[in-house]
Amino acid sequence: MIEPDLRDRILAEPEVILEDRDLMRALIAANERAMGSNIVDLRGIAMERLENRLDRLEDTHRTVIAAAYENLAGTNQVHRAILQMLDPLSFEEFLKSLAGDVAQTLRVDCIRLVLESVQEADDPALRRLGEVLFVAEPGFIAEYLSAGRNVSLRPVTLRQTVPTSDLIYGDRAGWIRSEALMRLDFGKGRLPGLLVMGSEDPHHFKPIHGTDLLAFFAGVFERTMRRWLS
């Protein structure tokens, strides 16, 4: 016989048993044993199926929440980086902020700005702007984005680095493994540009990742560059 005190507690709070999954499963199993092997209790089967569905729903719920938090964190990172990018009052400081505060906020190991120009890259004025700026001849950006293949060029490309990446990353090319490439349109009559973010993690930028935040960042960067170029 069940102890009177325990019986009174169960009668006073029956929901405690109903909410305990292991206890309910044990009670159903005991009930099936009591009925014998010739009787199948469909309630137990239904409950097991409902438990499996509940487990799957809980897993999905946790996955959705984790993705939402990750997306929110990424949005906050991009917003902080944009504010840091808008602070400098000179073009030289603007480029330095990319390699410093902006890169740290976005948690990337390297940022490069590629500009196509007919001007020589060895020009003293260009050298003064530091290693973040890479000047290339016209047509370089399309060739680099396509990697020599006949493919359509997307606004944002995520991939692992290619052999020609050495030209952009210079001494750092040996440990940059993945990159985000953002095409830049500086307006009518101007050659295109390319904003490059590199990471030593080969899985940091993958084609399956979303590009909305990077596209937004590139849009703000593009408009900021137009003002500097004018």
Side-chain angles (χ1 to χ4, degrees), residues 82-158:
I82 288 174
L83 292 177
Q84 292 169 336
M85 183 175 65
L86 297 176
D87 279 339
L89 300 178
S90 68
F91 186 59
E92 186 173 354
E93 291 299 321
F94 170 72
L95 292 182
K96 288 181 180 179
S97 72
L98 290 179
D101 294 338
V102 174
Q104 292 176 7
T105 299
L106 294 177
R107 297 179 183 177
V108 295
D109 299 301
C110 183
I111 294 183
R112 292 286 187 269
L113 172 60
V114 181
L115 298 179
E116 291 187 351
S117 174
V118 295
Q119 190 174 0
E120 292 294 334
D122 291 333
D123 187 278
L126 296 178
R127 286 201 304 268
R128 189 177 66 251
L129 298 177
E131 62 177 6
V132 69
L133 179 64
F134 175 74
V135 179
E137 60 183 17
F140 173 84
I141 291 176
E143 180 68 20
Y144 186 76
L145 285 171
S146 64
R149 298 174 298 168
N150 185 20
V151 295
S152 58
L153 303 182
R154 292 170 293 180
V156 179
T157 300
L158 308 180

Side-chain angles (χ1 to χ4, degrees), residues 127-204:
R127 286 201 304 268
R128 189 177 66 251
L129 298 177
E131 62 177 6
V132 69
L133 179 64
F134 175 74
V135 179
E137 60 183 17
F140 173 84
I141 291 176
E143 180 68 20
Y144 186 76
L145 285 171
S146 64
R149 298 174 298 168
N150 185 20
V151 295
S152 58
L153 303 182
R154 292 170 293 180
V156 179
T157 300
L158 308 180
R159 69 184 186 189
Q160 292 188 331
T161 52
V162 296
T164 52
S165 300
D166 295 358
L167 298 174
I168 294 179
Y169 298 112
D171 295 339
R172 299 190 178 186
W175 47 272
I176 297 295
R177 292 290 180 264
S178 63
E179 60 185 2
L181 311 173
M182 289 150 276
R183 295 169 58 198
L184 305 173
D185 181 6
F186 298 133
K188 185 177 180 180
R190 292 195 177 107
L191 292 171
L194 184 69
L195 184 62
V196 181
M197 296 181 184
S199 173
E200 63 181 2
D201 181 359
H203 305 295
H204 191 82

